[in-house]
Amino acid sequence: MIAQRKDDHVRLAVEQQQRHSGRNQFDEVSFVHHALAGIDREDVSLATAFAGITWRVPLYINAMTGGSEKTGIINRDLAVAARETGVALASGSMSAYFKDPDCADTFSVLRRENPDGFVIANVNANASVDMALRAVDLLRADALQIHLNTVQETVMPEGDRSFASWVAQIERIAAGVGVPVIVKEVGFGLSRETVLLLDGLGVRVADLGGRGGTDFARIENGRRDLADYAYLTGWGQSTAACLLDAWDAPMPVLASGGVRNPLDVARALALGASGVGASGTFLRTLLDDGVTALVERISTWLDQLAALLTLLGARTPADLARCDLLIHGGLRAFCADRGIDPGPFARRSTSFDAPYETTGSTR
Ligand code: FNR
């Protein structure tokens, strides 16, 4: 049953990538162009540090799969891609392993093929502390993701209908698991209120996991006989909106959901993310074109991300948070309703040391 679901998710997610129109709310974020802001490429480092974690690059392959024969092969290839490019890698939900330990190998391959990489285990918010420890142990994981997916569970024919215990369970896992805990949404977004709540539960990092890419309401609706939850397609806040909402949150945030290209990575970093994840788009490359193509694609993203930092005058990903950003359209309306002033984002470079040398007037 679980193995079939895992295969369905992969098939439906890739179909969705093929049909995806391409536009999302990252298009409503643009950088103010400063023609003399550029620096030298050799002065750019892509390293990022947050919550005691250091990554060589601020990109990761976010949680997807494991638990069936086919998805074990996908995990092997994702691990190879992570090893070859140096990006961090998250496992898909490890519930299948708790129900059937015979599928352990479909998850542990993530570590076997990627012995020195940053590997993240993944459990649901119903998991016990013991399960969380087993998940971390199986992957010798550097961190643990707990995924929040109430919308997905609601639409999933065999999904959970009880969510009230999650808050207490997250607190127990965060206190007992011994590695940093990252709580992530699966594509509907973490609101500012949720991030603040998580901060009080001992969670170290929030992966905002917003709308704009893989839509699990649509995927699960495709698994229902009557497809009668079509009206939930598009539920939630976009990743760009979540970043603005959580701009001054007390904990580091990661951004995922609808990240399509290196510019989206730069936009998310400029909106305050410490790292940026992608799932569906990398899965599609892997399944359509193979692991070598995925390695090439991730390498190209990293190369172009460094190029964007160079032209923007950012020596590190964190420096992007000093670049001037314009917020347009629906995203600007979201800011107004949530009490966020987009104005200061457009004038940030003058309130820090400018990324370029100036003599007096900055304009
Ligand atoms: C996912 N995602 C996911 N997330 C999670 O925490 N546990 C999981 O088991 C899965 N499973 C899964 C399967 C497949 C096939 C896909 C494509 C995705 C969600 C994923 O981590 C991410 O949050 C969303 O896919 C949104 O990011 P993208 O796809 O828009 O980059």
Side-chain angles (χ1 to χ4, degrees):
M1 169 77 149
I2 291 199
Q4 181 60 48
R5 179 163 82 229
K6 298 298 156 182
D7 291 349
D8 286 352
H9 285 168
V10 166
R11 179 176 51 81
L12 292 164
V14 170
E15 269 175 41
Q16 202 175 89
Q17 284 288 321
Q18 281 155 358
R19 286 201 302 255
H20 203 262
S21 72
R23 282 196 68 75
N24 70 29
Q25 223 162 23
F26 278 118
D27 294 315
E28 296 180 353
V29 180
S30 57
F31 286 92
V32 175
H33 177 59
H34 296 301
L36 284 175
I39 55 173
D40 295 346
R41 176 72 168 262
E42 67 209 38
D43 293 331
V44 169
S45 158
L46 289 182
T48 181
F50 57 98
I53 294 166
T54 302
W55 288 348
R56 263 172 43 209
V57 294
L59 182 67
Y60 59 100
I61 302 173
N62 215 352
M64 281 188 269
T65 203
S68 70
E69 201 183 324
K70 270 191 208 159
T71 59
I73 294 168
I74 292 173
N75 272 350
R76 181 200 64 199
D77 288 348
L78 293 174
V80 169
R83 180 187 74 212
E84 295 302 310
T85 58
V87 299
L89 171 63
S91 169
S93 170
M94 296 172 72
S95 320
Y97 164 60
F98 305 134
K99 295 220 168 75
D100 174 14
D102 284 351
C103 71
D105 201 52
T106 67
F107 294 101
S108 57
V109 67
L110 294 170
R111 176 53 82 193
R112 205 167 47 254
E113 291 291 342
N114 184 24
D116 304 319
F118 193 97
V119 174
I120 309 170
N122 183 299
V123 297
N124 64 37
N126 275 330
S128 62
V129 175
D130 182 56
M131 286 168 168
L133 286 166
R134 282 172 59 204
V136 169
D137 192 47
L138 183 69
L139 303 189
R140 283 184 284 116
D142 303 285
L144 174 75
Q145 287 180 334
I146 303 174
H147 63 263
L148 305 185
N149 64 338
T150 50
V151 184
Q152 179 187 6
E153 295 290 345
T154 299
V155 182
M156 188 190 299
E158 69 279 28
D160 272 355
R161 301 290 182 260
S162 306
F163 310 122
S165 62
W166 286 12
V167 170
Q169 207 49 35
I170 290 168
E171 189 165 29
R172 277 187 214 114
I173 295 174
V177 81
V179 293
V181 166
I182 302 167
V183 169
K184 74 180 283 276
E185 242 292 351
V186 301
F188 303 96
L190 296 179
S191 65
R192 175 184 166 75
E193 290 80 349
T194 309
V195 173
L196 294 178
L197 175 59
L198 292 171
D199 185 53
L201 301 178
V203 171
R204 298 277 292 280
V205 181
D207 179 339
L208 301 173
R211 170 170 59 79
T214 305
D215 183 336
F216 264 93
R218 226 167 89 191
I219 288 179
E220 296 299 349
N221 197 44
R223 298 181 58 246
R224 294 176 72 85
D225 292 341
L226 297 176
D228 47 348
Y229 268 120
Y231 56 80
L232 286 186
T233 294
W235 181 282
Q237 290 91 262
S238 73
T239 303
C242 292
L243 284 160
L244 287 158
D245 213 29
W247 170 252
D248 57 353
M251 71 202 297
V253 300
L254 300 174
S256 66
V259 173
R260 303 158 297 178
N261 53 46
L263 177 56
D264 287 347
V265 178
R267 286 164 161 148
L269 294 168
L271 286 170
S274 296
V276 182
S279 296
T281 188
F282 289 157
L283 181 66
R284 181 184 169 184
T285 300
L286 176 62
L287 295 186
D288 284 0
D289 304 319
V291 67
T292 307
L294 180 58
V295 169
E296 270 167 27
R297 182 152 184 237
I298 295 174
S299 304
T300 301
W301 275 37
L302 294 173
D303 190 44
Q304 293 187 359
L305 180 63
L308 293 176
L309 264 69
T310 304
L311 80 87
L312 286 162
R315 289 183 167 76
T316 65
D319 276 359
L320 286 172
R322 302 172 174 198
C323 291
D324 298 327
L325 286 181
L326 300 173
I327 312 295
H328 313 276
L331 196 53
R332 203 173 175 87
F334 171 87
C335 286
D337 287 349
R338 295 286 283 173
I340 303 156
D341 181 1
F345 286 88
R347 302 185 289 269
R348 299 188 295 186
S349 62
T350 51
S351 52
F352 294 93
D353 292 336
Y356 38 88
E357 298 297 325
T358 61
T359 51
S361 166
T362 54
R363 294 282 154 90

